[in-house]
Amino acid sequence: MLADVRPDEPVMQEEIFGPVLPILTVADLDEAIAFINDRDKPLALYAFTESDTTKRRLAAETSSGGLNFGLPMHHLAVPTLPFGGVGESGMGNYHGRYSIETFSHRKAVLDVPLS
């Protein structure tokens, strides 16, 4: 974890892969939502809150590949939840049946008689 990260630091300029979790502190929920929405959509959004209002607002007012409250990265351990990105962080999902749907191609075949 990287604590007290500023938005202009290099670690915040590109998508992060690996066991690095920058922690940003914001003044309030409105600032958090604005911060998220002013940037490319994240692969995952981790919020540490027990407030149902905060959870509802983050789900309704932000877009990310996944939204997790509590333990970071725990959603990867739940095979029934899809994991994947949206926008710059990629498209599609994987895990369980989502992997089959994502990595399978359904060929459309149309056969219309000529007469």
Side-chain angles (χ1 to χ4, degrees), residues 39-104:
R39 288 156 179 76
D40 289 337
K41 297 176 183 183
L43 178 59
L45 170 58
Y46 305 111
F48 302 93
T49 182
E50 293 184 7
S51 165
D52 289 335
T53 299
T54 298
K55 291 175 183 180
R56 278 192 300 273
R57 285 196 58 200
L58 286 171
E61 298 176 36
T62 66
S63 179
S64 58
L67 175 57
N68 191 25
F69 300 108
L71 188 61
M73 303 292 292
H74 191 69
H75 62 279
L76 289 172
V78 182
T80 56
L81 289 177
F83 181 80
V86 60
E88 291 294 317
S89 65
M91 298 300 286
N93 296 300
Y94 68 89
H95 264 182
R97 71 177 177 89
Y98 300 101
S99 295
I100 294 169
E101 292 172 6
T102 295
F103 297 112
S104 297

Side-chain angles (χ1 to χ4, degrees), residues 4-66:
D4 300 320
V5 174
R6 292 185 320 275
D8 60 342
E9 291 190 67
V11 71
M12 295 302 298
Q13 304 310 309
E14 295 183 23
E15 190 165 20
I16 300 167
F17 293 96
V20 177
L21 181 64
I23 305 294
L24 286 83
T25 303
V26 293
D28 57 26
L29 182 57
D30 291 326
E31 183 181 338
I33 290 170
F35 179 86
I36 295 162
N37 291 336
D38 285 345
R39 288 156 179 76
D40 289 337
K41 297 176 183 183
L43 178 59
L45 170 58
Y46 305 111
F48 302 93
T49 182
E50 293 184 7
S51 165
D52 289 335
T53 299
T54 298
K55 291 175 183 180
R56 278 192 300 273
R57 285 196 58 200
L58 286 171
E61 298 176 36
T62 66
S63 179
S64 58

